Amino acid sequence: MKITEILKNATETKVSFEILPPLKGKSIQSLFNILDPLMEFNPPFIDVTYHREDFIYKLMPSGYYEKVAIRKRPGTVGICAAIMNKYNVEAVPHLICGGFTVEETEDALIELNYLGVQNVLALRGDARKFEKNFVAEIGGHKYASDMVKQMSDMNEGNYLDKEISNAVKTDFCIGVAGYPEKHFEATSYRKDLTYLKQKIDGGGDYIVTQMFFDNKKFLDFVKDCREIGITVPIIPGLKPLTRKSQLSSIPSTFYIDIPEALESEMEKCKTPEAEKQLGIEWCISQSKELLKAGIPCLHYYTMSDVKMVSEIVKNVL
Ligand code: FAD
């Protein structure tokens, strides 16, 4: 079922989760061990992130360093099929522009269509470790909106090869990313919203947001989206702080603010357990407030810490 239909039919707030593929070399069972306890919350869908290959410099027997491509967490598409098969819930693969030509994107979408995967989160992806800025693949998409357009075209039966006649129309429900505190590369919040609208006008069906720790930022973002004519569902992305060091690492990695109250409470924590507990409590209170505001779905970034997320959801539903 499409995410948009799930949200439309929902009579109460749903919870959904984002998971990461296991590290290369680990079994699918390690992922099921994370998912099994989450199933008691009846998530209607599970997002599976996509991890582009990166380059490392490896010391070779010759004594020289060689640049080697590694992908630490492969398997997004296979994992989605496994989740749908085992749990009978929708799995949403993340698909990124980075590293894909448009032909490879089309092939990936055809594969997903064959597997019965109806929902896809269309993303641009980030710059690789050794690149200053995001660089599109030669013959690949530069922005997520370009991938949205390609998916939208396939939904109309228009594939890249114009000579294919009577092509099957796919029926993808297309999710896109939104940033309540602005994407870090955008020249302004307003400009970022304009580009978000471009993704929706091009065929995006719903938005999932970057994490935030201040609900006001999310609620203002929703209001601003509505004001510029974005009418699709907006799903808040939530992640608990797990340790004090994230007071600096999260803002510098994701360019989002930590509220002063959360910062000062975290500074007072004397043990790792206390830091974790504060993160849990803050996220519970954020979730409860969003629930009260009538948000149809709360989306949790598990970062493979299922215990913490379970404790939060138990206290929210
Ligand atoms: P875009 O929408 O393309 O925007 C990128 C930047 O370009 C923005 O600053 C935007 O304002 C600007 N822009 C957009 N269109 C134009 C235009 N036409 N002209 C000029 N500027 C423009 N990354 C992964 O690698 N794997 C994942 O699984 C993954 N999952 C994610 C899930 C969520 C919910 C979120 C919020 C992010 C996720 N990311 C993931 C990170 C994401 O790839 C990065 O945030 C990336 O930097 C931007 O992706 P985007 O799809 O928002 O890009």
Side-chain angles (χ1 to χ4, degrees):
M1 194 189 272
K2 292 182 176 182
I3 304 298
T4 43
E5 286 167 36
I6 291 170
L7 298 177
K8 209 164 103 193
N9 299 337
T11 50
E12 54 191 15
T13 301
K14 303 272 179 201
V15 293
S16 58
F17 303 102
E18 179 192 281
I19 55 147
L20 278 57
L23 285 168
K24 194 185 277 184
K26 290 209 167 183
S27 72
I28 188 82
Q29 188 56 45
S30 66
L31 193 78
F32 293 156
N33 293 344
I34 289 173
L35 284 173
D36 284 347
L38 296 177
M39 287 303 142
E40 72 165 290
F41 306 117
N42 292 319
F45 63 93
I46 304 286
D47 272 50
V48 185
T49 54
Y50 186 88
H51 299 257
R52 190 179 176 183
E53 89 287 349
D54 223 320
F55 291 106
I56 56 158
Y57 286 90
K58 205 171 175 181
L59 184 61
M60 304 313 276
S62 60
Y64 288 103
Y65 280 92
E66 206 170 279
K67 196 174 169 189
V68 200
I70 52 154
R71 191 192 303 279
K72 283 188 186 158
R73 296 180 184 271
T76 300
V77 172
I79 288 168
C80 285
I83 289 175
M84 287 169 70
N85 188 37
K86 182 170 164 73
Y87 299 106
N88 200 24
V89 300
E90 295 298 334
V92 186
H94 293 186
L95 212 57
I96 62 169
C97 304
F100 284 82
T101 63
V102 292
E103 287 79 13
E104 286 163 345
T105 299
E106 184 175 86
D107 290 350
L109 290 166
I110 289 171
E111 214 164 307
L112 291 171
N113 193 40
Y114 288 159
L115 285 169
V117 173
Q118 253 199 311
N119 303 285
V120 178
L121 195 69
L123 299 149
R124 188 199 68 179
D126 282 317
R128 285 184 290 197
K129 269 191 197 124
F130 296 105
E131 287 166 350
K132 203 161 164 267
N133 301 307
F134 172 82
V135 180
E137 196 70 12
I138 296 169
H141 295 307
K142 198 169 171 197
Y143 298 110
S145 54
D146 303 327
M147 195 205 288
V148 170
K149 168 86 175 55
Q150 181 176 13
M151 292 171 74
S152 211
D153 284 347
M154 285 176 74
N155 282 348
E156 293 298 319
N158 297 321
Y159 290 60
L160 294 170
D161 182 349
K162 300 292 170 234
E163 283 175 20
I164 300 176
S165 55
N166 296 323
V168 166
K169 290 183 182 178
T170 55
D171 191 17
F172 288 116
C173 176
I174 310 167
V176 297
Y179 301 83
E181 298 179 55
K182 176 179 108 59
H183 182 262
F184 69 99
E185 290 169 30
T187 46
S188 72
Y189 173 75
R190 289 281 150 198
K191 198 85 188 162
D192 203 28
L193 279 186
T194 310
Y195 291 132
L196 177 58
K197 182 150 191 307
Q198 196 172 307
K199 290 194 273 194
I200 301 304
D201 291 346
D205 294 301
Y206 70 98
I207 296 165
V208 185
T209 76
Q210 179 59 282
M211 70 179 96
F212 55 90
F213 295 93
D214 178 354
N215 284 349
K216 187 172 180 309
K217 303 234 167 155
F218 170 76
L219 296 169
D220 286 348
F221 170 73
V222 174
K223 196 165 146 271
D224 294 337
C225 285
R226 301 306 179 221
E227 272 173 18
I228 61 163
I230 295 176
T231 57
V232 300
I234 303 177
I235 301 174
L238 294 163
K239 184 198 151 350
L241 282 190
T242 54
R243 53 189 174 276
K244 202 180 281 184
S245 60
Q246 289 176 333
L247 291 178
S248 57
S249 65
I250 287 192
S252 63
T253 311
F254 298 100
Y255 304 86
I256 54 179
D257 289 344
I258 305 286
E260 273 178 42
L262 176 56
E263 184 187 10
S264 71
E265 286 306 309
M266 192 55 101
E267 293 293 0
K268 287 182 206 156
C269 291
K270 300 262 184 292
T271 61
E273 292 72 34
E275 292 170 13
K276 231 175 179 182
Q277 194 52 37
L278 175 66
I280 290 174
E281 281 163 19
W282 189 274
C283 194
I284 291 174
S285 121
Q286 260 195 289
S287 305
K288 283 187 173 167
E289 200 183 27
L290 293 169
L291 204 84
K292 254 196 200 157
I295 305 300
C297 184
L298 307 179
H299 187 66
Y300 293 92
Y301 298 116
T302 66
M303 309 300 278
S304 307
D305 192 340
V306 67
K307 258 181 130 179
M308 221 175 157
V309 170
S310 290
E311 196 176 333
I312 291 162
V313 179
K314 263 188 197 138
N315 280 281
V316 172
L317 292 184

